[in-house]
Amino acid sequence: MPVDGVVERDTGPAGDPGRARMLDELYAAVVHDRSGGTPLRSLVSESWQRSLAADIDPERRTPPITYDRRESRARLSAHPLHTVMPLLRSNLVSIADEAMHVVLVTDADGVVLWREGASAVLRPADRVGLVEGSRWSEDAMGTNAMGTTLAVGRPVQIHSTEHLVRTIHAWTCVAAPVHDPDTGRIIGAIDITGPRRTIHPAMLALVTTTAQLAENQLRAQLAIADERMRLRNMPHLQSLRGTAGALVTPSGRVVAGEPYGWWPERVPIVDGADRIELADGRRLLVEPLAEGYLLREISRRSVLPHGSSRATAVPEAPAPERHALALRFMGDGTPRAVLDGTPIPMTLRPAETLAALALHPEGLTAERLAYLLYGDDGNQTTVRGEIHRLRASIGADVLKTRPYRLDATVETDFGAVRRALESGRVADAIRACAGPLLPRSDAPEIRAVRDELEAALRRAVLDSDDVDLLHTFGAHPLGRDDLEVHERLADLLPAGDPRRSVAESRVARLLAE
């Protein structure tokens, strides 16, 4: 597609021997003429070789246009880098404006998804195709910072005549790749381009640092997404009741597994497969979830001892009997814990810690636990002290460290409520719920789960339009003062039902208050 009226030249077939010789001769001539015969940097010479092998014409005028500007912006909104654009703008755009540069962001294919910069350089940038939708990979436009950083996977600077295509010899550019923290693959590049005499050496460090900040922000977002996935899907893992299992992201990364330490960091998930086999012979059933997979062990293959000619099952040592920990933290505010049938004295602070650990069976670092219990003001030293006292109470063999986790079969009332709600058993959820979760707690994690459970239980009752459920919930601590519940109950109960007058009386009292 032409840019500013410039028509791209037909560079001919890549397999034309005559054209290949001409490009080789041109390449050798340019290298010889540059700086009095001084050889190119290896980074640049290797990039030129890749570009010439892709049949890039050094006399090419502009890059190919893959998308128009509107489609490029739509693709940016769906791209992983969209979430870090405020960071990129705040770090780079003002500097680029002052220094007369252009800032560009590409996808993994080198297609420009976003461009901003000094207005004085945007028009000349248009003329060489530095626009949204243009493709700057090495196989499209030869050696340039965007394409080369994507090719080599590290920050680069390409200066003036180091560009293979002569049209962009008036420009110097610096770029750095951005990697996906989940898969490690490159998802795009950040670039600053400007007239060759205006690029400062510090620009490469600036772009590199910004790319690293973007990756750190993506990594933090991934950790939050993992936490949410664990929270929403842990009942699936707990439902296996002792069978080895794991929660896995769509990319195959294990975010939670039982037993702890038994799982690799990643497993080979194949689209559409309902079974997979690990390298050690473990066979796993793959069950799709809304946001990943649940894996459960089916069997372990028989192992051939060295030198044996037939398969022999290798007996496994019996698993040690696990401790049983029961937590009753919903209700009147008095937390109760029972370990192996023995009640454990429990106050609010250790109950909050146990609740957080029960909600995160994969384990928590001191930093993460401090945040869940105390928010941004959390102190790891305080958490370590709480853990030390709690281990003395329930045993170091139950509360493990590095990371902090419960090595026991844990059964909780709040877990039972969540599982019942997720399976649609509203009556069971009401029975399991004695009241708010640790009502005196102001720990961020406890507040969040408490609000989530209360809202989910209330909504399930109201959506059911079941008068028995409504009546039961209306007498429950969570529904006793809920005006909408009693109004719905009064509307649904027939005139002769004695429960209707009670509901109407409760509605009148609540309205009066």
Side-chain angles (χ1 to χ4, degrees):
M1 180 180 294
V3 177
D4 287 347
V6 177
V7 180
E8 298 176 9
R9 293 179 53 189
D10 179 7
T11 58
D16 182 352
R19 177 164 182 77
R21 282 196 300 275
M22 183 273 288
L23 290 173
D24 287 343
E25 290 169 1
L26 177 58
Y27 172 69
V30 173
V31 172
H32 178 73
D33 291 343
R34 183 181 179 276
S35 302
T38 302
L40 292 167
R41 292 185 290 148
S42 60
L43 169 76
V44 177
S45 63
E46 290 166 6
S47 174
W48 279 26
Q49 291 169 12
R50 290 191 298 270
S51 302
L52 292 169
D55 199 36
I56 296 299
D57 185 350
E59 301 302 326
R60 186 186 184 102
R61 300 293 298 173
T62 57
I65 301 297
T66 304
Y67 314 122
D68 62 28
R69 294 189 180 187
R70 179 178 298 177
E71 187 175 1
S72 297
R73 289 164 186 164
R75 288 183 174 271
L76 174 62
S77 66
H79 193 274
L81 287 176
H82 177 70
T83 61
V84 299
M85 289 306 297
L87 168 71
L88 303 185
R89 285 191 172 97
S90 64
N91 276 30
L92 299 177
V93 172
S94 62
I95 296 173
D97 269 339
E98 293 174 6
M100 303 294 288
H101 301 324
V102 179
V103 183
L104 306 107
V105 170
T106 79
D107 63 14
D109 296 322
V111 178
V112 176
L113 301 179
W114 172 76
R115 180 192 78 161
E116 280 193 29
S119 56
V121 295
L122 291 182
R123 187 179 296 275
D126 288 344
R127 287 196 290 269
V128 296
L130 286 166
V131 296
E132 291 101 327
S134 59
R135 185 159 65 91
W136 286 80
S137 57
E138 285 187 340
D139 63 356
M141 198 56 183
T143 302
N144 69 91
M146 289 177 279
T148 302
T149 201
L150 292 171
V152 301
R154 65 179 187 273
V156 301
Q157 174 171 319
I158 302 297
H159 177 69
S160 185
T161 56
E162 290 181 327
H163 293 97
L164 180 63
V165 175
R166 295 181 186 275
T167 308
I168 48 179
H169 281 184
W171 301 82
T172 290
C173 46
V174 295
V178 181
H179 297 82
D180 181 352
D182 184 4
T183 64
R185 291 193 291 266
I186 294 175
I187 56 175
I190 302 168
D191 175 276
I192 292 182
T193 294
R196 62 186 174 190
R197 299 184 185 279
T198 64
I199 290 285
H200 191 277
M203 284 296 181
L204 182 59
L206 173 63
V207 170
T208 301
T209 300
T210 303
Q212 291 170 346
L213 290 173
E215 289 179 354
N216 289 341
Q217 188 164 320
L218 291 171
R219 193 171 293 111
Q221 292 169 2
L222 180 66
I224 293 171
D226 286 350
E227 200 71 28
R228 288 173 177 165
M229 179 183 176
R230 278 190 287 265
L231 187 64
R232 286 190 288 261
N233 293 284
M234 191 55 67
H236 295 295
L237 190 58
Q238 293 170 338
S239 70
L240 300 183
R241 298 187 181 279
T243 300
L247 296 174
V248 179
T249 66
S251 66
R253 191 165 42 81
V254 176
V255 297
E258 285 290 340
Y260 180 82
W262 196 72
W263 294 89
E265 183 178 346
R266 289 184 178 275
V267 294
I269 298 292
V270 179
D271 284 344
D274 62 354
R275 285 172 171 78
I276 61 171
E277 182 175 324
L278 302 185
D280 61 3
R282 282 179 277 168
R283 293 176 177 177
L284 307 170
L285 186 67
V286 180
E287 300 178 14
L289 302 174
E291 49 192 334
Y293 303 93
L294 173 68
L295 305 184
R296 69 172 76 204
E297 188 183 28
I298 305 171
S299 65
R300 183 185 295 269
R301 274 190 172 179
S302 297
V303 180
L304 280 175
H306 183 68
S308 175
S309 60
R310 62 187 182 85
T312 304
V314 177
E316 297 184 23
E321 187 174 343
R322 302 189 80 193
H323 292 282
L325 178 63
L327 306 178
R328 296 291 177 267
F329 290 170
M330 305 186 82
D332 60 5
T334 303
R336 298 172 180 85
V338 177
L339 178 63
D340 296 331
T342 302
I344 303 295
M346 192 62 48
T347 57
L348 178 60
R349 189 61 73 193
E352 291 173 331
T353 303
L354 283 174
L357 293 173
L359 289 164
H360 299 273
E362 75 282 2
L364 295 167
T365 63
E367 179 182 15
R368 182 63 181 159
L369 183 55
Y371 177 78
L372 295 178
L373 295 180
Y374 305 103
D376 292 330
D377 297 328
N379 186 300
Q380 295 183 43
T381 302
T382 302
V383 162
R384 292 190 182 99
E386 293 290 347
I387 290 290
H388 178 75
R389 288 186 288 273
L390 190 52
R391 294 185 87 202
S393 174
I394 66 175
D397 57 337
V398 175
L399 206 173
K400 302 288 189 179
T401 60
R402 297 183 183 179
Y404 298 137
R405 63 193 187 281
L406 295 172
D407 187 10
T409 300
V410 182
E411 191 269 319
T412 68
D413 50 2
F414 49 92
V417 172
R418 176 178 283 161
R419 289 192 298 274
L421 287 172
E422 290 186 344
S423 61
R425 296 179 287 110
V426 184
D428 290 345
I430 296 175
R431 280 193 291 270
C433 179
L437 171 61
L438 296 176
R440 294 185 293 113
S441 173
D442 60 357
E445 177 78 344
I446 305 304
R447 287 202 313 267
V449 176
R450 182 169 62 221
D451 293 345
E452 172 206 331
L453 292 177
E454 291 179 17
L457 182 58
R458 178 180 186 272
R459 180 46 50 196
V461 170
L462 288 170
D463 288 347
S464 71
D465 278 343
D466 183 314
V467 293
D468 292 329
L469 286 178
L470 284 163
H471 180 262
T472 301
F473 189 68
H476 189 278
L478 296 181
R480 192 173 295 138
D481 297 322
D482 192 315
L483 177 61
E484 185 178 358
V485 168
H486 294 289
E487 285 181 331
R488 182 76 62 84
L489 186 59
D491 288 339
L492 293 175
L493 287 169
D497 194 313
R499 294 175 296 179
R500 179 170 178 172
S501 61
V502 175
E504 291 173 340
S505 174
R506 184 64 59 87
V507 169
R509 181 180 65 79
L510 290 173
L511 287 173
E513 293 176 351

